[in-house]
Amino acid sequence: MTKVTCDLTVSLDGYAAGHDQTEERPFGEDGGDGWGDRLHAWYADSQENQAEIARMTTVKAFIMGRNMFGPVRGEWDRQWKGWWGDNPPYHAPVFVLTHYPRDPQPMEGGTTFHFVTDGIESAFKQAREAAGDGNISIHGGATTVNQYLAAGLIDEVRLHIVPMTLGAGTRIFDGVPPLNLEQVQSRAANAVTHLTYRVLR
């Protein structure tokens, strides 16, 4: 049965990105270089965090917000292809939420970005069809995850908590009604604590 998950790296006070996100600083005022060098430092230790990194890439379809896909706002005035180069790490269909239509963007390695203009439920339906029996990741950012949590469409929340605070920015659970969660797993690594929760209906 298809499982819908989200993986989000957050500061200790729950922020996935800081304010003032730009093309030069996609994570905004993130306490570092604006590219998540502190928030996502745990990725660099791929050996210690191998299981968590591998688990993220085994899903068969992804959903992300337009802000996570890139810095272009309004009409698509240039052919932005994402932050990840010609061969993004997804290797599966990625459904990007946007208000502005655009043709699908095929990339190397099996990734195709599809641009969905008619809401989160439509993106969810398309991702489910694309995933077949595989799992779906609501991949971010926090605003998109919060929309799907509020709609009751996420089965499992996976948080990767780094030992720093941001004090402001885009935060997990903002605008989300109270949830009943069951802790499934927790593991402390050197630079991050991995927590997994099942969302109880």
Side-chain angles (χ1 to χ4, degrees), residues 77-88:
D77 59 355
R78 57 178 161 143
Q79 199 68 9
W80 178 266
K81 297 181 180 180
W83 303 102
W84 306 277
D86 292 330
N87 189 357

Side-chain angles (χ1 to χ4, degrees), residues 97-109:
L97 300 167
T98 177
H99 295 294
Y100 298 90
R102 176 177 161 178
D103 290 336
Q105 178 65 59
M107 306 292 288
E108 295 176 13

Side-chain angles (χ1 to χ4, degrees), residues 141-184:
T143 300
T144 297
V145 169
N146 290 342
Q147 290 181 69
Y148 279 93
L149 283 171
L153 295 174
I154 294 180
D155 301 312
E156 191 170 276
V157 177
R158 302 168 181 170
L159 298 179
H160 312 282
I161 301 176
V162 296
M164 61 180 289
T165 60
L166 291 182
T170 308
R171 183 160 56 182
I172 185 73
F173 302 125
D174 275 356
V176 178
L179 300 173
N180 290 319
L181 303 172
E182 176 187 1
Q183 185 166 306
V184 175

